[in-house]
Amino acid sequence: MRLTFYFSVGECAVILEDVVIILGLLTNGLPVTGPTLNSYETLEAKCLDQFGVAPRKADCRGSFIKLTWFRGLKDRLVLADDIYIQRYMKCHIMLLFGTVMFGDKSGAALHWKFLPLLRNFAGIIQFSWGLACLAHLYRALCRTTRVDCKEIDGPLTLLLTWAWIHLPFLALIPGNPLLFPIANRWRNWERADRPYRYRSLAHFRRALNDLEEGQYKQRSIRSFELPQEVGLYVSDTKHAECFERRPNSVTTSNS
């Protein structure tokens, strides 16, 4: 399944190649899958096993662990040996999951279901985190089509950066071409003195409705100068066109 955006000049989609160049994540490897259990006792046992400590019930929201708990633990850890270094890295990974890759609408907690996938520290890299991230975005986009949906969750860094690459007239600030992953090229976009803060939703809707030929930039992975180590794990990523011209004009909805 592929989620498609329809514009007046054609249609396009976020694809695996975009995940590679924007977030620098692997898109091949083992599937990110496993059981989802709603049990504080199991959550407690998994955390004790991997971090040596467990969050209190006040640090949890059902089966979700508050990100403040991971931040606090990460700040307190003393990197005395490999065990503590691994715990530090696992905290960092869980924070990335909860903010960049698999975040919910609150942006404040993460389900503990990812912990079993981190138990084998050396095997973390074997999973296709990029594929899971894209699937999470697709699910979030599907949910936003509901009439009663007013917000979107998921990997919004991926979605926004994709839009700024392929629709540069929407970009809030110029990107730094020397940074990788490409999402880092707009890392300072939230500075308070940016003029984009005065642009309304209506402004962006008009810009998309008035989209003209040539404003959409087809960018493949071959058009970016990537670090050599990145090229090693994206060399097997099959390129697929993410833009398709349509014979009939289709405009975005203002509803």
Side-chain angles (χ1 to χ4, degrees):
M1 180 183 70
R2 186 173 76 176
L3 273 293
T4 303
F5 294 97
Y6 293 90
F7 298 121
S8 58
V9 296
E11 61 184 77
C12 54
V14 185
I15 59 175
L16 286 174
E17 187 174 278
D18 295 308
V19 180
V20 173
I21 62 176
I22 291 173
L23 298 180
L25 295 173
L26 290 168
T27 56
N28 49 19
L30 299 175
V32 177
T33 185
T36 301
L37 302 176
N38 297 318
S39 165
Y40 173 77
E41 290 71 23
T42 308
L43 179 158
E44 184 179 40
K46 296 294 183 182
C47 287
L48 285 171
D49 178 46
Q50 300 206 42
F51 300 110
V53 293
R56 300 167 300 172
K57 288 189 176 181
D59 296 316
C60 301
R61 196 185 68 209
S63 298
F64 287 74
I65 305 173
K66 294 179 180 178
L67 298 184
T68 52
W69 184 80
F70 288 110
R71 291 191 183 101
L73 177 59
K74 181 182 174 185
D75 291 341
R76 293 192 303 271
L77 285 171
V78 178
L79 309 184
D81 54 35
D82 288 346
I83 293 178
Y84 286 95
I85 291 173
Q86 290 182 13
R87 289 176 179 176
Y88 180 92
M89 290 303 302
K90 288 179 180 180
C91 285
H92 186 73
I93 290 171
M94 291 295 282
L95 289 169
L96 284 176
F97 287 171
T99 56
V100 177
M101 296 169 60
F102 308 112
D104 62 6
K105 292 180 181 179
S106 73
L110 179 70
H111 200 288
W112 67 267
K113 63 186 177 183
F114 296 102
L115 282 177
L117 302 178
L118 306 185
R119 192 174 191 279
N120 177 13
F121 187 78
I124 295 174
I125 197 174
Q126 298 177 2
F127 290 97
S128 180
W129 298 110
L131 181 59
C133 181
L134 183 61
H136 193 68
L137 174 62
Y138 280 1
R139 185 175 67 170
L141 291 172
C142 283
R143 287 175 173 172
T144 59
T145 62
R146 299 173 182 172
V147 176
D148 59 344
C149 184
K150 297 181 180 180
E151 297 178 328
I152 183 174
D153 60 4
L156 299 185
T157 298
L158 171 62
L159 181 61
L160 287 172
T161 306
W162 172 85
W164 296 340
I165 290 172
H166 296 289
L167 301 167
F169 65 92
L170 295 178
L172 305 176
I173 62 174
N176 183 339
L178 302 180
L179 295 179
F180 183 85
I182 288 176
N184 285 331
R185 298 182 181 184
W186 288 276
R187 67 195 313 170
N188 295 320
W189 71 272
E190 292 183 300
R191 286 177 53 181
D193 58 346
R194 301 295 186 189
Y196 74 84
R197 289 184 176 273
Y198 302 100
R199 298 175 186 171
S200 64
L201 178 60
H203 166 85
F204 292 103
R205 282 176 169 167
R206 284 195 301 270
L208 291 174
N209 280 335
D210 297 337
L211 187 64
E212 298 177 355
E213 291 284 349
Q215 284 188 295
Y216 180 88
K217 305 297 182 182
Q218 175 67 45
R219 304 292 300 275
S220 76
I221 202 168
R222 297 167 182 79
S223 65
F224 293 94
E225 293 184 8
L226 304 181
Q228 183 178 4
E229 61 271 20
V230 176
L232 294 177
Y233 71 74
V234 301
S235 59
D236 293 333
T237 302
K238 296 182 179 178
H239 173 66
E241 293 296 328
C242 63
F243 182 77
E244 179 181 344
R245 297 187 182 278
R246 296 175 60 81
N248 299 320
S249 176
V250 181
T251 58
T252 56
S253 171
N254 288 326
S255 59

